[in-house]
Amino acid sequence: MPDVLLASCAPAAGKDEDEPLLVAALAAEGLTAEAADWADDGVDWGAARLVVVRSTWDYASRREEFLAWARRVEAVTALHNPAGVLAWNTDKRYLRELAADGVPVVPTTWAEHPGEVPAALERWPGDVVVKPVVSAGARDTARFGPPERAEATALAERVLAGGRAVMVQPYLDRLDAEGETGLVYVDGEFGHAFGKGALLAGAALGPGLYAEEEITRRTATPGQRALGDRVLGWVAARTGAAPLYARVDLVPGADGAPQVIEVELTEPSLFLTTDERAAARLAAAVSARLRAPRAPRPAAGAAR
């Protein structure tokens, strides 16, 4: 059994560009590593010294099963990020907590039953984005113009019928030219940034694990760095410790100032190819956690 197991999923085999870079970087740290399907009952997770959640991109349709798996793994070995963090982060209603504490977040309305959908959609006069609160890879997410409110309602109702609440956000026009900026953190420290081209052109994204994206190297602005650092400090205080890895996704608001659209602590692509030292930083952090005494498991409710 390798020192480190990278939790993945069967459909992601060969598709995670971060995986070979991380395996090689861990080898440079003197650690063996390989990927395994989180849903494979034949994997002995407890035999690994540490498990890192990586490309578990199929969890959204069976979130409770995924979280139960994480709790079982955490009971027998070190898991990063921890099960409590995964439980909190896999429901995007965490954005309400950030906004309540004054963090600039993309304005959002929420619908937890069909009767709330019309008001959620009417809150924004222009183009809107409809998405589930539990999703990965931009699945079941679409942009709709003002004449398409019936189509937006239909998507929202399908998501609700599947047992997930809905979030509605205004489409930010600056995205078309500027795209998103992702900030990657390792052990709470900023590592690198990348750019992501605008993704939503209209219809809901088709079948598959994730939507294809245009990723580029990018230098974060001082304002973006300040917001990302603020979010990471908030996350550490909320969950009890800095996560092994985090990705803070920012978009430009109407005035150009950055706003948080997501805080990815579960299975984000870290786009290690966009920075020559990124894989080595993550591998060094994994190695450091293996050398450190294992901390007690967080109490129930520490990160909801």
Side-chain angles (χ1 to χ4, degrees):
M1 178 61 67
D3 299 303
V4 179
L5 280 173
L6 307 177
S8 180
C9 64
K15 297 179 180 179
D16 180 6
E17 294 181 354
D18 289 345
E19 184 182 299
L21 296 177
L22 180 55
V23 170
L26 288 168
E29 291 281 340
L31 299 171
T32 57
E34 65 182 44
D37 181 1
W38 72 269
D40 183 350
D41 292 336
V43 177
D44 183 4
W45 300 96
R49 297 170 60 195
L50 184 143
V51 175
V52 183
V53 180
R54 293 311 310 125
S55 49
T56 57
W57 297 329
D58 63 349
Y59 82 84
S61 62
R62 40 182 175 160
R63 175 174 176 257
E64 292 308 315
E65 181 184 344
F66 173 69
L67 295 178
W69 164 84
R71 291 189 293 268
R72 290 195 302 272
V73 172
E74 193 171 70
V76 294
T77 191
L79 176 69
H80 296 286
N81 286 324
V85 172
L86 304 183
W88 175 74
N89 185 241
T90 49
D91 187 319
K92 292 180 178 63
R93 281 174 282 196
Y94 66 76
L95 290 171
R96 290 198 291 204
E97 296 181 44
L98 279 166
D101 276 357
V103 176
V105 171
V106 174
T108 306
T109 53
W110 311 85
E112 297 181 351
H113 57 77
E116 294 176 334
V117 170
L121 292 172
E122 291 166 8
R123 174 68 177 80
W124 317 112
D127 285 13
V128 296
V129 176
V130 177
K131 64 178 78 170
V133 298
V134 178
S135 67
R139 306 269 46 85
D140 300 317
T141 298
R143 172 185 175 182
F144 299 95
E148 301 173 304
R149 289 302 190 257
E151 292 86 347
T153 298
L155 174 58
E157 290 179 348
R158 286 199 303 273
V159 170
L160 288 167
R164 294 175 291 173
V166 167
M167 52 199 298
V168 180
Q169 297 171 327
Y171 186 80
L172 304 174
D173 292 335
R174 283 177 176 262
L175 272 171
D176 291 333
E178 301 177 36
E180 295 184 22
T181 298
L183 307 184
V184 177
Y185 290 78
V186 175
D187 266 343
E189 298 293 326
F190 174 75
H192 67 283
F194 63 89
K196 182 190 299 186
L199 183 63
L200 299 175
L205 300 170
L209 276 180
Y210 53 83
E212 296 293 337
E213 298 171 317
E214 179 187 353
I215 303 298
T216 58
R217 296 176 184 233
R218 182 171 289 185
T219 299
T221 67
Q224 290 169 336
R225 276 293 313 278
L227 179 53
D229 292 353
R230 179 182 176 186
V231 169
L232 258 289
W234 188 94
V235 166
R238 173 66 176 82
T239 63
L244 172 64
Y245 57 84
R247 201 182 90 193
V248 182
D249 291 344
L250 306 176
V251 293
D255 61 356
Q259 298 177 340
V260 177
I261 191 166
E262 285 197 52
V263 182
E264 300 269 18
L265 307 175
T266 301
E267 37 57 65
S269 292
L270 300 175
F271 300 109
L272 302 180
T273 58
T274 61
D275 184 276
E276 290 80 1
R277 294 292 301 161
R281 279 192 294 268
L282 181 55
V286 170
S287 180
R289 297 216 175 194
L290 279 172
R291 293 194 302 269
R294 187 179 176 192
R297 283 190 294 149
R304 293 172 293 174

